[in-house]
């Protein structure tokens, strides 16, 4: 399916506002090189407008994270490519990477884009989007100070709470005290408080919360859910909680 036709098929909320303006620029930039073959053809009804909007939002914010440290690392580009292939299907891979390459040459206002996302995407979907962006920043083996700054700006722009921002960032820190940060609690919390924190986060981050984006994105959400479970198991072992 041709890039311009694929973008043109987006009828979700992402086709308007600042993201829509970026899409319009991209259509003009990609039209000349746009080709389509029957074997690559994808019908518009293969994906819901909501899922398409999530993918476009993911690509726009991916560009901001990739450029955070002033370098274009192949490991990060490869991560985006693999994520799209595994979670949206190979039929979207080339088109999505063409869009990302074009976005990497455009100015992106994180706050205006984030405001549109915050207004139109539910909180669970935004949590999943932010988790993906942290994973992207970590694709080269670590998250640098510039990337953390951009990630925190994105979290603020898309309306992620400070506690949830710290929790999600802690999932990638590798530090021994991260288990408590992931559960948004502290070593001084009682066993009952730890259990309550786990139940609350397990409900908030359950993969079923993003079921409307399709089974592929729901599968990606399972990774975040497993990290919450692993953090809880770590604390239980340390405390001898049954």
């Amino acid at each position: 399916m041709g890039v311009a036709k694929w973008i043109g098929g987006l009828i979700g909320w992402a086709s308007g506002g600042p993201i829509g303006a970026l899409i319009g620029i991209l259509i003009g930039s990609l039209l000349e090189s746009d080709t389509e073959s029957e074997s690559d053809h994808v019908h518009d009804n293969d994906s819901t407008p909501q899922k398409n909007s999530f993918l476009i939002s993911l690509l726009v914010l991916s560009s901001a994270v990739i450029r955070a440290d002033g370098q274009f690392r192949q490991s990060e580009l490869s991560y985006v490519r693999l994520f799209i292939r595994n979670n949206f299907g190979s039929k979207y891979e080339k088109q999505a990477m063409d869009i990302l390459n074009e976005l990497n040459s455009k100015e992106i206002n994180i706050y205006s884009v984030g405001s549109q996302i915050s207004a139109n995407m539910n909180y669970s979907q935004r949590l999943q989007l932010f988790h993906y962006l942290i994973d992207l920043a970590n694709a080269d083996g670590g998250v640098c100070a510039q990337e953390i700054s951009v990630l925190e700006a994105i979290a603020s722009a898309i309306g992620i709470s400070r506690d949830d921002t710290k929790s999600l960032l802690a999932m990638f820190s590798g530090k021994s005290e991260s288990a408590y940060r992931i559960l948004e609690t502290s070593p001084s919390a009682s066993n009952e408080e730890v259990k309550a924190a786990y139940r609350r986060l397990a409900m908030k981050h359950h993969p079923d919360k993003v079921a409307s984006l399709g089974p592929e994105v729901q599968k990606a959400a399972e990774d975040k859910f497993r990290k919450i479970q692993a953090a809880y198991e770590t604390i239980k072992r340390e405390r001898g909680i049954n």
Side-chain angles (χ1 to χ4, degrees):
M1 183 176 188
V3 175
K5 186 174 181 181
W6 179 61
I7 299 175
L10 296 175
I11 55 175
W13 57 262
S15 58
I19 297 179
L22 281 170
I23 292 172
I25 294 172
L26 293 174
I27 290 176
S29 300
L30 294 169
L31 270 174
E32 292 183 1
S33 60
D34 189 26
T35 59
E36 178 177 13
S37 66
E38 186 64 28
S39 62
D40 292 334
H41 186 74
V42 180
H43 297 288
D44 290 341
N45 61 8
D46 281 354
S47 184
T48 65
Q50 189 176 33
K51 184 177 174 182
N52 279 334
S53 295
F54 181 86
L55 177 53
I56 288 295
S57 301
L58 181 151
L59 291 171
V60 171
L61 293 179
S62 290
S63 178
V65 172
I66 288 171
R67 290 187 288 176
D69 59 1
Q71 300 183 52
F72 294 93
R73 299 183 186 276
Q74 188 58 47
S75 56
E76 292 172 333
L77 295 173
S78 296
Y79 177 82
V80 178
R81 182 185 295 277
L82 185 61
F83 184 90
I84 292 166
R85 183 189 306 159
N86 289 343
N87 293 282
F88 293 90
S90 57
K91 62 190 178 184
Y92 288 113
E93 184 180 335
K94 182 182 184 303
Q95 289 88 344
M97 295 308 294
D98 285 343
I99 291 170
L100 181 61
N101 287 335
E102 285 294 318
L103 284 167
N104 285 338
S105 66
K106 309 298 179 189
E107 287 298 321
I108 295 173
N109 186 313
I110 289 173
Y111 291 97
S112 61
V113 167
S115 178
Q116 183 181 359
I117 291 171
S118 180
N120 292 279
M121 188 181 290
N122 72 42
Y123 195 71
S124 295
Q125 293 169 351
R126 282 179 273 145
L127 284 172
Q128 184 57 34
L129 176 60
F130 188 59
H131 181 267
Y132 155 82
L133 293 170
I134 302 171
D135 216 357
L136 168 60
N138 197 54
D140 57 359
V143 182
C144 69
Q146 298 98 314
E147 288 170 328
I148 290 176
S149 178
V150 168
L151 286 167
E152 289 177 342
I154 289 173
S156 175
I158 65 177
I160 302 296
S161 74
R162 289 187 62 83
D163 284 344
D164 284 332
T165 298
K166 291 178 182 178
S167 171
L168 289 166
L169 285 170
M171 292 181 185
F172 298 86
S173 74
K175 297 178 180 178
S176 58
E177 67 271 20
S178 294
Y180 287 98
R181 292 182 184 174
I182 290 170
L183 293 189
E184 299 180 12
T185 187
S186 70
S188 63
S190 68
N191 288 351
E192 288 306 312
E193 287 171 332
V194 169
K195 290 178 182 179
Y198 168 70
R199 288 193 295 267
R200 178 174 56 81
L201 285 181
M203 182 176 297
K204 181 189 295 185
H205 293 280
H206 197 281
D208 287 350
K209 295 282 188 177
V210 293
S212 62
L213 296 175
E216 300 89 351
V217 175
Q218 193 172 8
K219 254 191 305 188
E222 291 172 1
D223 176 59
K224 172 162 53 73
F225 191 68
R226 282 192 294 269
K227 289 173 181 174
I228 293 169
Q229 291 176 314
Y232 183 49
E233 291 300 322
T234 296
I235 295 173
K236 284 171 62 179
R237 284 194 302 271
E238 290 177 353
R239 293 183 173 215
I241 300 175
N242 295 322

